[in-house]
Each structure stands twice: as structure tokens, then as C-alpha cells.
Amino acid sequence: MAGTKTLLVLENFIGGRFLPCNSYIDSYDPSTGEVYSRVPDSGKEEVEAAVEAARAAFPGWSARSPQERAQVLHRLADLLEQSLEELAQAESKDQGKTITLARTVDIPRSVQNFRFFASSILHHTSECTQMDHMGCLHYTVRAPVGIAGLISPWNLPLYLLTWKIAPAIAAGNTVIAKPSELTSVTAWMMCKLLEKAGVPPGVVNIVFGTGPRVGEALVSHPEVPLISFTGSQPTAERITQLSAPHCKRLSLELGGKNPAIIFEDANLEECVPTTVRSSFANQGEICLCTSRIFVQKSIYSEFLKRFLEATRLWKVGIPSDPSASMGALISKAHLEKVRSYIKKARAEGAQILCGEGVDKLSLPPRNQGGYFMLPTVITDIKDESCCMKEEIFGPVTCVVPFDSEEEVIKRANSVKYGLAATVWSSNVGRVHRVAKKLQSGLVWTNCWLIRELNLPFGGMKSSGVGREGAKDSYEFFTEVKTITIKH
């Protein structure tokens, strides 16, 4: 009983107030495997209360000018930045990611999301055309849609939650957000800052809980006309089914099976460390991570040698260790799922060159029950293998050789996903040519994960529907109206 007193207990944030819940879910510290917090197990009742609060707040918030809303977003960004270290510590503990990544990526990007959309909302223009022969002038106006339902994942908790909240409220909508029940703490912490930032009650509502209870109630609610979701394809299929009777607007950012294509003229000094990072950053739990590495045959052996050396230097450690390159995976179930792919690869005759089942993982006694695994490299694997076709979402990557440009493009495009790709070559004509032919929503050449938030983000094929970014998010979170004036 003494241990239960130390548990962090979260509450829903509805209508500007923290509200307790009738039942709770245990949340685990990924680095120890121990319960450390309790998350509300909300359902239809809480979602209904959030809809009422969001509905009541919409007229006043949507009537504010973009400039007034932008000021509120800037104040919230400032408050998040002032709490950066506290938020980073919480994100690292809750998700299992390294404290270094939380400090340098997750929380700074969360701050930037509010600043970016506070600025971009001030710079959109509308369309206007004349029909002089008819004596008419046509122009467009945009207005907020209403209540936005936002569902964010567990891998980049505050980063991706704010990527949705910021454009939604900047455009004048009110929101009901459901973070993952696995990583809810930083969303709850952000709620403590909303009143001080000047966010009116009901503009941002956070309802914690599971997909089947909170998510389905939110998606199927007739007064929530649009849903923005980041997560898995099976969940997206369920969202599509539930929202279809209401003809809801959907933005679905889903998974990836992202290729890196490394040509013989690639600069390996830059390519190798970047590809290690793109494969294993955040424990490989990023939808943009590289999980298929195609290397031109003439440099395959040299690349593989350097890649393995660099991978073995990628330190797996407790998340609070500033020198750790990689922390713990999100949950026991997810760790077992990732390990199952390595078992399947081995059964198919593939070679596991380093990592799981090959090298020894050393952890402090307190962390022996944590969800850790070493970065793992697989070779001698066929393109038809599940490890080359399915999203593993862990620190596992496959390295295979290729001969020609035409061949590798065909192989890179042979999966159902089309989110991101990287191309390594010093031939400018080739990188343009290959980038154009790859079926990916994002293509990085000679780099990885350099983002320009103005430009569209999203994938092709089963990697999603719609795009996010300055213009795309604005258009998603607003309704356009054409007005004709005869004079």
C-alpha cells in the first residue's frame, strides 16, 4: 500500500477544469516495467461533457481575430518553454525515450508548433476573381469548422499532440484531444498552463483513456465534424468505419516501411551515422525511421562493415542517462512484438548480425524488468519477408544489396506504405530522378528528418490520407465558402 501513495494520478481536463474519473488504467515506466501513474479510463460520459464544453466555447473563440488567437498561442509556447526541463524529464520517464532526445527534440518542437501556427495563421490569403462581362466579383472566405477531434500516438507524445492542437485552435476551432493512454503525462502537464496562457475554458479539452472507449465515442459523435489521427492503419480503418455515417473530414497519418537507397557514389562519412540515427532514433519508434536499407553492390560490404561498427556504438541505456543513444521501448507487449519479427527473420534463414540474440545488453539491477533491446541489423533477407514488408516500429533494420537504379526503385516501391524515403548519392541528376519516382510523401536526399513546417507532411498509399503543414492544416481545419457579388 505504501507504493500506491507515490503514484501520479491524472485527471481529465474538460471545460477549463480538472475532473476525476470513476476508473483508472495503470501506466508503466518503460525503463523499469513498474506501474508509476494512473490514467483516467474515460468513456462516453466524459466525451459528452467535453463536447458540451467545446460547443459552448466555440462562438467566443471563433469570433476572435487571428491576431488575438495568435497572442494566446505565443503565450502558451512561452510557458511550455519555461517548463522545458520539467516536461522533458516527464516525457522521458513516461515514454522511455532518452532525456537528451526529449530535451533537444520533443519539447522544443512542441514549443515551435505553437509559435509556428501562431505566425502562419496571420499570413493566409483568400482567392478572388472577376467576371466583368457578367458584372460579378467572386471571392472566398474561410471559417473554422467547429469541434475538432484529435487523436495522437505514444511515440512523440507532446510533439504530435501540439502539432494538431496548434493549427486547430489557431484557425478558431475548439478541440477534444485524446492522447495515448500509454503516454498521457505531458498532455496533462500542458493543461495546467492553459489558463495562464489565456486559453478560454472549453477551447482545449483533454480526455484520457483507451481507443475502444474514448476514441470510438469521440469519432462517432455527431457533433465532432472532423478527426485528425496519427497512429496505426488498423485503427485508421476503424475510424473510417465509425465516421462514415457522419461524412466526417479525416486526416490520417499512418505508418511507414521507409527505404534508404545508398548509391555507390554516396558519402559514407555522412551516410553511415545518419542512417544509424534514422534507423534507431527514439528506439526506432518513429513513423519516419528507416527499416529497409538498399545498398549498391559495389559498396555493400564496406557500408555494412561501417554500419555495424557504428550501430554497436549506439548505446542503449536508462532514459535518464545523458550519454544514452537509445532508451526503452514503450511497453512489454510492443517489445515482444518487435522481438517476434527477429524470430521470424531467423526462421526464414536471415542473418542477425548484431543486437537481439547476438550481443549482451547490460542494465542496472533496477532496470532489468524494463523494455529494452539492442539495435538489431538483419541481412540475407528476401524482399517478400514480413520484416521487409510490415512496419516493425522498433530498433530493427534490414540491409540488402541492389544492382541498378531501376531495380531499387521498383523494390523500394513494392510495399503498401509510402511515407518517407532517403536517397544517398553525389549525382544531382540521379537524386532528382529517383526522388520523383519513389512512391513516398517525403524524400530526403543526403540527409534525414530535416523538416520545413510550411510544406506538406504525409504519406501515399497505406501511409495515410491528407497532409499536415501550414497551408494543408489551415485548409483541413477550416471550411471554404465562395461568395459572388453582382454589381
Side-chain angles (χ1 to χ4, degrees), residues 451-469:
R451 291 273 288 113
E452 161 55 273
L453 301 188
N454 278 295
L455 298 183
F457 176 91
M460 300 178 179
K461 301 191 287 189
S462 292
S463 286
V465 176
R467 296 292 186 271
E468 296 172 299

Side-chain angles (χ1 to χ4, degrees), residues 226-239:
L226 75 174
I227 301 292
S228 177
F229 168 76
T230 298
S232 69
Q233 187 189 351
T235 304
E237 290 174 8
R238 181 64 176 156
I239 289 172

Side-chain angles (χ1 to χ4, degrees), residues 262-264 268 272 293-310 312 353 377 379-380 399-402:
I262 301 164
F263 288 97
E264 59 191 358
L268 295 186
V272 169
I293 303 172
F294 296 94
V295 186
Q296 201 152 27
K297 259 185 188 168
S298 59
I299 61 163
Y300 179 78
S301 297
E302 179 62 21
F303 172 86
L304 189 58
K305 176 186 168 214
R306 294 196 195 187
F307 187 76
L308 288 169
E309 288 171 355
R312 287 197 168 101
L353 297 188
V377 179
T379 60
D380 296 327
V399 187
V400 293
F402 73 91

